[in-house]
Amino acid sequence: MIQQWYEPLNFSEWLRRTFSFLNIAVFIITATFIFSEFRFDWVENLVGSYLTSTNEFRPETGAIWETGKQTSNAHEYLNKIISKKEDTRQNVHQASTFSDLASGILPGDWVTLEKQQFKILYLTLEKSTALKIIEPAQLVWLLNGSSLDRIFCEGITGGIKIYFIDSENRVIKQIDLRKEDILEIENGDKPVPGELADMDGFLGRIYPAPFFFDTLFKLPADIIPDLIVNPEKLLKQDGKIVNIGIWNEAENGYIKLGFEFEETGGKQVVFIKGREWAVWQLSLNLRGEGN
């Protein structure tokens, strides 16, 4: 049997080695360390002091949670923006009038407007009122002849802006429309309760219906269609026409005519527009100055 040099030779040697001064000193120091820790908690205090002194260099748990919360909020906000953008796009694409278009887009929002949709919205307007948005010949060129690439609609406070953009990302036409202008354009020809005599713009140019139509029918036949451009507004009304007035100003080549209807519930005025040159010729005849 081989015995290693570090193994004790007998039991007394084992006891001597076990209870050596070094082992007893290590035991006493260890026991003192453990006892003092239970008594004075100096290890916890030391660790606490160290953590306190290095606190500013370490991220706080709250800051980590706050960062996570901010990230979550950012994702939620982004989803809201995307959802809002999609809702706006759908509202704009479902618009059947310029009023719907202006109501469906908020200030600061941008939406691409299809060429075909703009054309449909424009064609819903009467010829005389459509001129307030854009001249038809110019629109024909923009949609079918120019380098137009896309149409943007921007929501602004109280209205919309429409941009016609070419292939080089340049604005070749801009249309600014206030909501009140749109309402006037789309609803300006609705009947207004009252009489022509109460409207300053017609004073001095109000004629009894029999005299007005008698003079009208004496004009050449090719002039009459230009005098009453949108007769469907008159044909939709009930009652009897008693007076017709001619507005004292021209706008975009047209002059407003007011037809005063007498109905059971009272009187109301329906507005239509005639071409300026034709209305001017009729006015001369009404005053006895024409041929």
Side-chain angles (χ1 to χ4, degrees), residues 192-263:
V192 176
E195 301 180 10
L196 289 170
D198 299 328
M199 304 178 184
D200 294 339
F202 292 106
L203 292 181
R205 297 177 178 82
I206 301 175
Y207 307 94
F211 175 64
F212 178 89
F213 280 99
D214 183 61
T215 305
L216 173 70
F217 295 139
K218 291 179 181 178
L219 293 172
D222 57 344
I223 295 180
I224 297 178
D226 290 321
L227 282 168
I228 303 179
V229 176
N230 44 351
E232 61 275 4
K233 293 187 176 297
L234 300 177
L235 295 174
K236 292 178 181 179
Q237 300 300 314
D238 296 326
K240 180 180 180 181
I241 301 175
V242 291
N243 292 304
I244 297 93
I246 299 176
W247 193 253
N248 58 11
E249 293 181 1
E251 183 177 1
N252 296 322
Y254 289 85
I255 295 179
K256 182 165 38 176
L257 302 176
F259 288 74
E260 182 181 319
F261 282 80
E262 185 176 38
E263 301 179 3

Side-chain angles (χ1 to χ4, degrees), residues 127-156:
K127 291 185 292 184
S128 57
T129 55
L131 286 171
K132 294 183 178 181
I133 294 181
I134 185 173
E135 207 281 329
Q138 187 178 18
L139 181 60
V140 170
W141 169 248
L142 285 172
L143 295 180
N144 303 104
S146 70
S147 58
L148 178 67
D149 181 64
R150 58 196 182 278
I151 304 174
F152 276 139
C153 183
E154 177 192 10
I156 60 175

Side-chain angles (χ1 to χ4, degrees), residues 26-163:
V26 171
F27 175 77
I28 294 174
I29 293 173
T30 302
T32 303
F33 178 86
I34 296 174
F35 176 79
S36 63
E37 166 57 22
F38 279 109
R39 178 66 179 82
F40 301 106
D41 297 328
W42 61 271
V43 174
E44 288 86 346
N45 293 331
L46 182 61
V47 173
S49 299
Y50 171 77
L51 293 176
T52 301
S53 63
T54 59
N55 185 61
E56 59 180 326
F57 304 107
R58 291 179 291 106
E60 298 179 7
T61 303
I64 296 175
W65 280 106
E66 186 64 26
T67 301
K69 182 179 179 181
Q70 291 176 356
T71 302
S72 177
N73 290 341
H75 285 297
E76 183 178 352
Y77 182 69
L78 182 60
N79 290 334
K80 287 182 178 180
I81 291 178
I82 295 174
S83 177
K84 177 182 176 183
K85 185 73 174 179
E86 180 63 21
D87 290 342
T88 301
R89 187 187 67 81
Q90 291 182 0
N91 290 337
V92 169
H93 289 178
Q94 293 173 358
S96 58
T97 65
F98 280 98
S99 294
D100 294 339
L101 185 63
S103 300
I105 182 169
L106 298 176
D109 288 344
W110 289 74
V111 178
T112 301
L113 194 62
E114 298 295 335
K115 299 179 184 179
Q116 185 63 25
Q117 184 182 9
F118 183 87
K119 185 187 298 185
I120 292 174
L121 295 178
Y122 185 81
L123 293 176
T124 60
L125 302 174
E126 299 293 339
K127 291 185 292 184
S128 57
T129 55
L131 286 171
K132 294 183 178 181
I133 294 181
I134 185 173
E135 207 281 329
Q138 187 178 18
L139 181 60
V140 170
W141 169 248
L142 285 172
L143 295 180
N144 303 104
S146 70
S147 58
L148 178 67
D149 181 64
R150 58 196 182 278
I151 304 174
F152 276 139
C153 183
E154 177 192 10
I156 60 175
T157 302
I160 56 174
K161 288 185 177 181
I162 300 175
Y163 301 92

